[in-house]
Amino acid sequence: EVLNRQMTLLIAEHGLTVVPYDDPALGHYVRAGADVPVGELVMLLPPNKLLLEPEVGDFNECLQLCVAPGGRLFSSSLTRHDVDNYLCHSCDPNCEVIVGADLAAGLRAIKPIRAGDAVSFDYDTTEDDLRGDRGGFDCQCGADNCRGQVLGRLYSPKLCPAVES
């Protein structure tokens, strides 16, 4: 219950809302309604179900938290309306996922977020394997450093360093 209250306070403080993209085929995203400085906790993810890999029914509906002694541990939303279902991927994100010792997960700003910006993180920073039916996709984030595919940190293409002439 304390996490729910803290989560609600952060959502209100940063004016986080779920809004539709201009193109309906893209769905919805989380938009900041206020500026958020670097280093600030942007949001806590809602309390979710914790699952070990063999218990995961659909890898598209969960977030890998860590590798535990029993295998990879995932967090899955309790409902399809949870705000964490609308967090965007970017190869040049404005947030990083942080996981506490109690396995509470949140997003921390790694660059300034302006009011009106989408809240994003790099899916490859939390997921090892997104190949096949595990949720990988061709990336269209538009970032200068876009990798073109999101397949998990073990399998996504890596950008080659720029060659100076």
Side-chain angles (χ1 to χ4, degrees), residues 118-135:
V119 174
S120 64
F121 73 98
D122 184 346
Y123 291 3
D124 279 349
T125 61
T126 61
E127 307 295 331
D128 288 337
D129 185 359
L130 291 172
R131 297 172 302 157
D133 66 351
R134 292 174 172 254

Side-chain angles (χ1 to χ4, degrees), residues 83-95:
V83 70
D84 57 326
N85 290 325
Y86 302 100
L87 293 169
C88 295
H89 161 79
S90 176
C91 293
D92 188 22
N94 53 24
C95 292

Side-chain angles (χ1 to χ4, degrees), residues 46-59:
N48 292 331
K49 294 184 285 189
L50 296 178
L51 306 167
L52 287 170
E53 188 167 3
E55 301 169 306
V56 174
D58 185 347
F59 287 95

Side-chain angles (χ1 to χ4, degrees), residues 34-131:
D35 293 347
V36 182
V38 172
E40 189 159 321
L41 187 61
V42 177
M43 67 177 285
L44 289 168
L45 300 185
N48 292 331
K49 294 184 285 189
L50 296 178
L51 306 167
L52 287 170
E53 188 167 3
E55 301 169 306
V56 174
D58 185 347
F59 287 95
N60 293 301
E61 296 178 355
C62 58
L63 172 76
Q64 181 181 326
L65 293 178
C66 63
V67 177
R72 295 189 304 161
L73 185 65
F74 294 84
S75 174
S76 179
S77 295
L78 296 175
T79 77
R80 63 184 184 91
H81 302 292
D82 288 344
V83 70
D84 57 326
N85 290 325
Y86 302 100
L87 293 169
C88 295
H89 161 79
S90 176
C91 293
D92 188 22
N94 53 24
C95 292
E96 65 181 347
V97 175
I98 54 174
V99 180
D102 61 355
L103 299 179
L107 294 178
R108 177 175 42 213
I110 57 173
K111 57 177 60 171
I113 301 172
R114 302 288 170 234
D117 287 352
V119 174
S120 64
F121 73 98
D122 184 346
Y123 291 3
D124 279 349
T125 61
T126 61
E127 307 295 331
D128 288 337
D129 185 359
L130 291 172
R131 297 172 302 157

